[in-house]
Amino acid sequence: KNEVEQSPQNLTAQEGEFITINCSYSVGISALHWLQQHPGGGIVSLFMLSSGKKKHGRLIATINIQEKHSSLHITASHPRDSAVYICAVTRGSNYKLTFGKGTLLTVNP
Amino acid sequence: SAVISQKPSRDICQRGTSLTIQCQVDSQVTMMFWYRQQPGQSLTLIATANQGSEATYESGFVIDKFPISRPNLTFSTLTVSNMSPEDSSIYLCSVAQQRGGSEQFFGPGTRLTVL
């Protein structure tokens, strides 16, 4: 079993829909990261969080430390949100990221 | 956040040759890392680039195959040596300001195809 599990693997939505991507982890962590990778390959850091909730524009990330679970929400989705969304965790003072396998999101117009 | 550039953005190379990838950051950073992403896979950490000393390699990666330089706090290079088709991947550098609990910022990646 991977230390970081994401669901779903693939997600197709219509423009305007509310989207949720889930991430579960099995180890103690110091922080959880949500990353976005576009088809060209570049990766953008969306959020780093260790508790509670963060919001940036139409993106919201939450984490429940007791349940070892995080969600990434996208409100009013748009075709430009189409990308792979990756959950990753860091443990203690270790800088190394452990990655989930990613969720491929396609938003159709 | 840090702005990171990589050169080249993509390349097609012949088997047996070597390619050096450059990573430039717009500000001084403590930590620099090199990752590989093979087709359809998640990212794998190759090594941590240490300024002024040898890089720290992860299990399965060796200096002879992936020599790394980091002459200062804003620049690093990764060389993929004696390439084979199995080296076809996206190579990304990333940076962080401190060891643990720090956000990592990624470069745009270098897409390498080995024929």
Side-chain angles (χ1 to χ4, degrees):
Chain A
K1 188 180 192 298
N2 292 331
E3 290 184 344
V4 180
E5 296 274 1
Q6 283 185 240
S7 63
Q9 270 189 291
N10 294 283
L11 181 56
T12 300
Q14 288 301 122
E15 184 172 356
E17 286 184 1
F18 180 86
I19 288 164
T20 297
I21 300 170
N22 296 300
C23 176
S24 296
Y25 52 92
S26 57
V27 295
I29 66 169
S30 55
L32 184 141
H33 307 250
W34 281 103
L35 309 170
Q36 179 193 55
Q37 185 172 32
H38 280 282
I43 292 176
V44 175
S45 175
L46 298 175
F47 295 104
M48 184 185 76
L49 63 166
S50 53
S51 65
K53 175 179 173 178
K54 287 190 176 180
K55 184 176 190 292
H56 181 69
R58 295 181 294 107
L59 302 178
I60 302 166
T62 64
I63 188 168
N64 184 318
I65 297 295
Q66 287 73 31
E67 295 186 3
K68 292 187 167 61
H69 181 269
S70 175
S71 293
L72 176 69
H73 306 287
I74 304 175
T75 62
S77 60
H78 190 277
R80 65 174 175 265
D81 296 325
S82 298
V84 175
Y85 291 84
I86 303 169
C87 172
V89 300
T90 47
R91 303 173 63 181
S93 60
N94 194 329
Y95 53 80
K96 296 180 187 178
L97 290 169
T98 301
F99 296 91
K101 292 190 174 181
T103 295
L104 174 60
L105 171 65
T106 303
V107 181
N108 294 317
Chain B
S1 65
V3 177
I4 305 166
S5 60
Q6 281 186 236
K7 288 183 188 178
S9 58
R10 58 176 61 228
D11 207 342
I12 300 172
C13 300
Q14 295 297 320
R15 180 196 299 261
T17 62
S18 298
L19 176 72
T20 295
I21 302 167
Q22 298 180 2
C23 177
Q24 179 75 54
V25 191
D26 68 341
S27 59
Q28 294 185 344
V29 292
T30 306
M31 310 292 291
M32 291 183 80
F33 311 99
W34 286 98
Y35 289 88
R36 179 176 74 181
Q37 186 178 33
Q38 294 176 300
Q41 304 295 314
S42 192
L43 288 83
T44 302
L45 180 63
I46 297 171
T48 303
N50 301 309
Q51 192 223 345
S53 65
E54 194 172 287
T56 304
Y57 289 85
E58 297 299 304
S59 175
F61 296 97
V62 295
I63 188 171
D64 290 346
K65 175 68 175 176
F66 297 102
I68 288 171
S69 79
R70 190 178 173 191
N72 56 51
L73 292 176
T74 64
F75 185 78
S76 177
T77 67
L78 167 75
T79 299
V80 186
S81 302
N82 188 24
M83 289 184 284
S84 66
E86 292 71 36
D87 294 319
S88 298
S89 297
I90 299 173
Y91 292 86
L92 298 109
C93 72
S94 78
V95 304
Q97 279 298 6
Q98 61 192 55
R99 283 198 164 266
S102 176
E103 195 167 5
Q104 284 193 28
F105 300 98
F106 288 82
T110 296
R111 188 179 292 271
L112 171 61
T113 302
V114 184
L115 303 177

